[in-house]
Amino acid sequence: MTKRLLTGLQPSGELTIGNYIGSIKQVVNYEKEYETFLFVPDMHSITVPQDPETLHRRVREIVGMYIACGVSPTTNHIYIQSEIPEHANLSWVLECHSYMGELSRMTQFKAKSDGKKEIGCGLFTYPILMAADILLYKADFVPTGIDQKQHVELARNIAQRFNSRYGETFVVPEPLIPKVGAKIRDLLYPEKKMSKSAENPKSSIFLTDPEKAIRKKIMSAVTDSETIVRFDEENKPGVSNLLTIYACLSEITIEEAERHFADARYGDLKKEVADVVVEKLTALQDRYAEVMKSGIVDETLDRGRDYVRPIAQETYDQVRRLVGLGRV
Ligand code: TYM
């Protein structure tokens, strides 16, 4: 049987080149090999306050971006999390099979709640909803950047726990983390990952950024005082990040990128990185404009919802019976 791959991008901000390299690009590479489920986890986004109109808009934009990036809208199942009620139903059942201790260890929760007086319960239990997203469709593989690895590991633990208590029910999913590009870094604070919700927009390259902004952000990216272009994530995170972006977008290895820039100064490195980013993103933005003008986003979402809902219903019904909910 064809293995299943599943992943999602939150509509909590404009997509960055980190989302493209860490997630979308992987999906484009794998989609011929696996049956692919791609969804927009909008229920995850309300774990922090959102403007409702913006959230509605972003849900459609994410789908448009998937398609513009080359994800096939006909062979993949593309859908919105909140249109399939079984995500929340299964999440509740899994919540009753999870522990406060394991959720307290999630580094993303610790980072997002750090220093906050009022911490939403959703922010704490969010990794369980993510486990439900994956287990509902019995996905074999979950491509993500490194930041989501711990959450996929939690999903594995919950699946194993449930299976050992009730018998084989869930597939235990494997994370697929790219060897290069699993953590594209913030341009100003390269010790952090590049994020959709960074405080300073100069920290991130957004997929919809115009050429001028892209060049300006890359030219002012933080490097170091050594002046030698080489890959060393620990001591030279800024330069290593620029090499990674260059290698990923040019489809070459890090070693090849290092050789290419062997005699270059940081200014030359930045200029060439900006050139490949601009080339990639302007082509993508042209396709994106076409996609958003056509009716393809809604057609794709309707088709995706109709295809995946019965799968979700079947899994949830199996789970409901196993744990004793409702009538037999
Ligand atoms: P999200 O929306 O923060 O990120 C979407 C995907 O992009 C990857 N990513 C990165 N990769 C490399 N470098 C970066 N700087 C970078 N920033 C983000 C993320 O690893 C992710 O793969 N909880 C998830 C969404 C989600 C999900 C799921 C994913 C909900 N349910 C089930 C997979 C399966 C999230 O917040 O990703």
Side-chain angles (χ1 to χ4, degrees), residues 94-208:
L94 299 183
E95 213 166 293
C96 298
H97 293 77
S98 306
Y99 300 108
M100 301 285 284
E102 57 190 350
L103 290 182
S104 310
R105 285 195 291 276
M106 296 291 121
T107 50
Q108 200 171 68
F109 170 72
K110 287 195 241 177
K112 284 196 175 174
S113 59
D114 191 31
K116 295 223 169 68
K117 273 210 201 96
E118 289 194 318
I119 301 159
C121 298
L123 201 59
F124 185 64
T125 57
Y126 142 126
I128 302 178
L129 179 58
M130 179 159 161
D133 299 334
I134 301 168
L135 303 184
L136 197 53
Y137 301 96
K138 304 193 175 175
D140 301 276
F141 299 111
V142 181
T144 66
I146 199 82
D147 60 318
Q148 297 297 324
K149 187 167 178 241
Q150 199 186 24
H151 292 160
V152 180
E153 273 159 9
L154 178 80
R156 289 172 59 83
N157 291 342
I158 295 176
Q160 277 157 346
R161 186 177 306 146
F162 195 96
N163 288 351
S164 67
R165 180 153 169 199
Y166 300 98
E168 282 308 301
T169 311
F170 295 124
V171 169
V172 180
E174 295 273 347
L176 290 180
I177 315 284
K179 283 201 187 72
V180 180
K183 180 180 175 180
I184 298 298
R185 296 164 183 276
D186 185 302
L187 296 177
L188 299 181
Y189 303 98
E191 61 288 352
K192 297 200 292 191
K193 71 156 190 173
M194 186 182 284
S195 160
K196 294 186 209 96
S197 44
E199 270 165 35
N200 188 336
K202 289 189 192 132
S203 286
S204 309
I205 299 168
F206 300 105
L207 298 185
T208 49

Side-chain angles (χ1 to χ4, degrees), residues 268-321:
D268 306 327
L269 167 72
K270 287 178 173 178
K271 184 171 172 310
E272 279 203 50
V273 173
D275 288 343
V276 287
V277 175
V278 165
E279 193 188 318
K280 188 87 202 171
L281 295 195
T282 42
L284 199 157
Q285 288 165 8
D286 290 346
R287 283 198 302 275
Y288 178 69
E290 289 297 313
V291 168
M292 294 310 276
K293 265 195 283 176
S294 71
I296 197 169
V297 168
D298 287 301
E299 278 165 33
T300 304
L301 285 171
D302 289 347
R303 200 171 46 242
R305 177 200 56 212
D306 295 345
Y307 183 87
V308 305
R309 180 93 203 266
I311 301 173
Q313 281 171 323
E314 193 184 320
T315 306
Y316 179 67
D317 203 47
Q318 184 190 6
V319 167
R320 167 188 83 70
R321 286 162 193 273

